[in-house]
């Protein structure tokens, strides 16, 4: 079925790999790529540049014009480290400023995108929305501790995805939400931590994009949120 894809955070490596693959899909007629400054030259792609405060997000979503129903949405945003901000290895490292930055980037901003995109997603056609979470956001799977702010922000995002899904099951029955764990991918986000990654477990953005697209193709439109990894395996919330 001809559809539109929306990619938020289009400047990231995984997002760019997704866009490259979506351009080649015959059924994907239009790609809306939203970022702070990335531009694309392909005729299939409409670039929207914006900041990520709420007013800017609302304005960016108001610019969306659809030639086909939205079939796929990718919200590819989040931070793990930035300048002096690092994952906390012990409780003495926790700071309110860093916690708020991480929570805003990993929980608040993706939630605002879904809030303002939802009016564009309602139709009679299936629409699958992937929000980039992480296995480390699983409360039941937390055996190692540490990384307090990142864990908490991804756990909070998972709760938002679950809660959005309950409401959308009533208001937008065509929408399926996925909290997606991409695995450790060769991007700037993981770069400082790649030396500890087991052999064969550092993925290319192209591999992750392929795995995510094939996962979306298999997801059932069941009105429930899913939490799954790059290998198409469910993660316990």
């Amino acid at each position: 079925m001809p559809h539109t894809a929306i990619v938020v955070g289009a400047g990231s490596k995984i997002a760019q790999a997704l866009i490259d693959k979506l351009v080649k899909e015959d059924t994907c007629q239009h790609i809306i790529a939203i970022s702070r400054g990335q531009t694309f030259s392909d005729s299939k792609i409409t670039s929207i540049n914006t900041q990520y405060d709420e007013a800017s997000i609302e304005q960016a979503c108001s610019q969306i014009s659809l030639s086909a129903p939205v079939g796929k949405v990718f919200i590819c945003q989040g931070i793990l480290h930035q300048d002096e901000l690092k994952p906390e290895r012990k409780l003495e490292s926790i700071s309110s400023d860093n916690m708020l930055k991480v929570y805003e980037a990993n929980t608040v901003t993706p939630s605002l995108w879904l809030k303002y995109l939802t009016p564009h997603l309602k139709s009679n056609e299936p629409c699958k929305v992937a929000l980039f979470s992480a296995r480390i956001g699983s409360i039941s799977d937390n055996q190692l501790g540490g990384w307090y702010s990142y864990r908490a922000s991804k756990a909070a995002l998972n709760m938002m995805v679950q809660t959005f899904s309950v409401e959308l099951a009533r208001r937008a029955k065509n929408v399926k939400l996925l909290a997606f764990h991409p695995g450790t991918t060769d991007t700037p986000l993981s770069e400082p931590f790649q030396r500890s990654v087991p052999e064969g477990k550092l993925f290319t953005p192209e591999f992750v994009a392929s795995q995510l697209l094939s996962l979306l193709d298999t997801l059932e439109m069941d009105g429930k949120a899913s939490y799954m990894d790059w290998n198409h395996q469910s993660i316990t919330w």
Side-chain angles (χ1 to χ4, degrees):
M1 187 72 185
H3 66 270
T4 297
I6 299 175
V7 182
V8 177
S12 75
K13 296 294 185 183
I14 297 176
Q16 290 181 42
L18 283 166
I19 290 168
D20 288 343
K21 294 180 183 300
L22 290 166
V23 164
K24 297 172 185 175
E25 288 189 359
D26 291 338
T27 55
C28 184
Q29 290 191 342
H30 185 201
I31 302 162
I32 298 172
I34 302 174
S35 71
R36 282 194 172 94
Q38 191 78 24
T39 57
F40 300 86
S41 57
D42 193 279
S43 59
K44 265 192 177 184
I45 304 172
T46 298
S47 298
I48 297 177
N49 296 145
T50 183
Q51 296 303 307
Y52 292 160
D53 59 277
E54 184 166 5
S56 298
I57 291 171
E58 182 178 15
Q59 175 63 26
C61 291
S62 73
Q63 298 176 39
I64 292 174
S65 178
L66 299 175
S67 57
V70 179
K72 297 184 180 78
V73 179
F74 306 90
I75 301 180
C76 313
Q77 290 184 309
I79 62 170
L80 174 58
H81 58 89
Q82 187 181 74
D83 301 326
E84 298 303 311
L85 189 159
K86 303 288 190 300
E88 311 95 338
R89 298 184 184 277
K90 55 186 179 179
L91 59 88
E92 288 85 357
S93 301
I94 295 171
S95 86
S96 60
D97 286 347
N98 285 348
M99 285 193 77
L100 290 170
K101 286 177 186 175
V102 173
Y103 187 80
E104 180 175 25
N106 292 346
T107 310
V108 177
T109 300
S111 298
L112 290 173
W113 279 113
L114 189 55
K115 170 185 174 179
Y116 289 107
L117 284 172
T118 292
H120 298 291
L121 310 185
K122 296 179 183 180
S123 76
N124 293 322
E125 300 300 327
C127 176
K128 298 175 181 180
V129 182
L131 297 97
F132 277 49
S133 183
R135 188 183 303 277
I136 203 170
S138 167
I139 292 175
S140 58
D141 191 54
N142 183 2
Q143 305 299 321
L144 298 176
W147 291 36
Y148 287 91
S149 299
Y150 191 72
R151 282 187 188 277
S153 66
K154 292 299 187 179
L157 176 64
N158 289 347
M159 180 58 82
M160 293 298 290
V161 170
Q162 280 273 32
T163 308
F164 275 125
S165 185
V166 171
E167 182 172 354
L168 293 179
R170 299 191 298 267
R171 297 180 52 192
K173 296 180 184 296
N174 67 305
V175 176
K176 165 75 176 183
L177 298 184
L178 167 68
F180 177 66
H181 169 58
T184 305
T185 310
D186 189 8
T187 66
L189 183 141
S190 71
E191 189 172 359
F193 313 99
Q194 291 179 5
R195 281 182 292 182
S196 62
V197 178
E199 186 175 352
K201 292 297 185 181
L202 179 63
F203 306 132
T204 66
E206 293 74 21
F207 171 78
V208 173
S210 293
Q211 291 297 103
L212 176 52
L213 287 169
S214 62
L215 173 58
L216 289 186
D217 287 341
T218 64
L219 282 184
E220 294 184 16
M221 299 298 297
D222 56 6
K224 300 177 182 178
S226 294
Y227 183 21
M228 302 182 75
D229 69 10
W230 59 273
N231 200 29
H232 300 193
Q233 300 300 304
S234 293
I235 304 171
T236 57
W237 297 94

